[in-house]
């Protein structure tokens, strides 16, 4: 059976609400930060729905013995926020997976070619065979950055169902490229936009997520 990239856009009104605030150019920095964190939290919740390891246990209530479910804390989890704006998603997600280890990855993109260059890779040398990995990539435009992250994980033996990606927004052309390279991947996003412009930006998109998250305008200046 052929494998196909699985892209999930959860139909939850709160996901749509927070994404709309991210898109609005009038949203101030503080609210933009809150919206990014909330979107990260809700998308992580959805990503873990059928993925997080759990155990059935018996507990004694004040009245009787009953059976319940608890997260299996013996299974390690690694969160990989892609700098800069991936930190905004992770800020909300950490309340859902508070015990996850965190490895940051930083990339700088050439605005002309759209190609990304890695300047920070803090992935651990070895990742346990039973560990789950959540990658927080703020936007999947060309998918070039995300593919580099996934290739570095692949080199450490982390592939397929062990990885899930959380992204605020994705573009159809980038998802096509991603699926051609990583067909067994699952990605959760707030929306899929159809196009990229000549500068490889998602349209309609939400602008530069990193600049807006940290209070810079499109010219990287204050005010």
């Amino acid at each position: 059976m052929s494998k196909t990239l699985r892209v999930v856009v959860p139909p939850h009104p709160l996901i749509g609400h927070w994404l709309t605030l991210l898109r609005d150019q009038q949203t101030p920095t503080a609210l933009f930060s809150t919206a990014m964190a909330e979107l990260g939290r809700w998308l992580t919740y959805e990503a873990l729905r059928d993925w997080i390891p759990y155990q059935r246990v018996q507990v004694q209530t004040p009245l009787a013995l009953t059976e319940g479910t608890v997260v299996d804390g013996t299974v390690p989890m690694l969160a990989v926020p892609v700098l800069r704006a991936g930190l905004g998603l992770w800020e909300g997600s950490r309340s859902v997976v508070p015990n996850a280890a965190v490895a940051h990855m930083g990339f700088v993109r050439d605005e002309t070619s759209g190609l990304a260059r890695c300047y920070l890779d803090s992935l651990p040398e070895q990742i346990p065979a039973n560990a789950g990995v959540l990658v927080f990539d703020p936007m999947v435009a060309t998918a070039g950055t995300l593919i580099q992250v996934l290739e570095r994980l692949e080199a450490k033996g982390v592939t397929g169902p062990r990885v899930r990606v959380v992204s605020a927004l994705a573009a159809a052309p980038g998802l096509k490229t991603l699926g051609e390279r990583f067909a067994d991947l699952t990605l959760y996003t707030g929306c899929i936009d159809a196009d990229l412009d000549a500068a490889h930006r998602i349209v309609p998109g939400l602008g530069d997520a990193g600049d807006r998250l940290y209070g810079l305008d499109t010219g990287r200046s204050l005010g």
Side-chain angles (χ1 to χ4, degrees):
M1 178 179 290
S2 62
K3 298 177 181 178
T4 304
L5 173 69
R6 180 171 175 245
V7 181
V8 181
V9 181
H12 198 294
L14 284 173
I15 290 176
H17 170 82
W18 294 116
L19 177 61
T20 300
L21 288 177
L22 289 181
R23 288 192 189 274
D24 188 347
Q25 66 176 351
Q26 300 300 322
T27 298
T29 298
L31 184 54
F32 188 92
S33 177
T34 297
M36 185 69 83
E38 286 296 319
L39 195 58
R41 182 163 69 95
W42 284 100
L43 288 173
T44 300
Y45 175 85
E46 293 291 338
L48 295 178
R49 183 188 295 273
D50 63 350
W51 191 60
I52 194 168
Y54 64 89
Q55 296 177 340
R56 298 293 292 175
V57 297
Q58 286 193 328
V59 294
Q60 179 69 49
T61 79
L63 299 178
L65 190 68
T66 189
E67 190 176 62
T69 301
V70 295
V71 173
D72 187 350
T74 66
V75 178
M77 183 167 291
L78 178 67
V80 183
V82 178
L83 306 181
R84 295 172 290 159
L87 291 174
L89 289 172
W90 168 240
E91 184 63 29
S93 302
R94 68 191 308 166
S95 64
V96 183
V97 282
N99 295 322
V102 183
H104 302 91
M105 295 200 70
F107 292 83
V108 104
R109 192 181 77 152
D110 184 286
E111 297 299 332
T112 302
S113 67
L115 299 178
R117 173 181 58 82
C118 181
Y119 66 85
L120 175 66
D121 180 350
S122 63
L123 291 174
E125 288 297 322
Q126 294 187 344
I127 300 175
N130 65 334
V133 178
L134 277 170
V135 177
F136 297 92
D137 190 1
M139 295 191 294
V140 179
T142 65
T145 297
L146 181 55
I147 287 173
Q148 288 194 51
V149 173
L150 295 173
E151 286 178 342
R152 288 170 186 256
L153 287 169
E154 184 179 55
K156 297 178 182 293
V158 181
T159 59
R162 293 180 59 195
V163 185
R164 292 209 169 176
V165 176
V166 172
S167 182
L169 191 61
L175 293 176
K176 181 177 183 297
T177 301
L178 182 63
E180 291 169 351
R181 177 63 180 83
F182 291 97
D184 55 351
L185 183 69
T186 302
L187 181 146
Y188 285 77
T189 186
C191 187
I192 301 172
D193 282 357
D195 298 315
L196 297 174
D197 67 10
H200 314 287
R201 298 172 301 191
I202 301 177
V203 179
L206 52 84
D208 188 306
D211 283 356
R212 296 188 67 192
L213 184 65
Y214 293 107
L216 300 172
D217 65 17
T218 55
R220 302 282 176 94
S221 60
L222 292 177

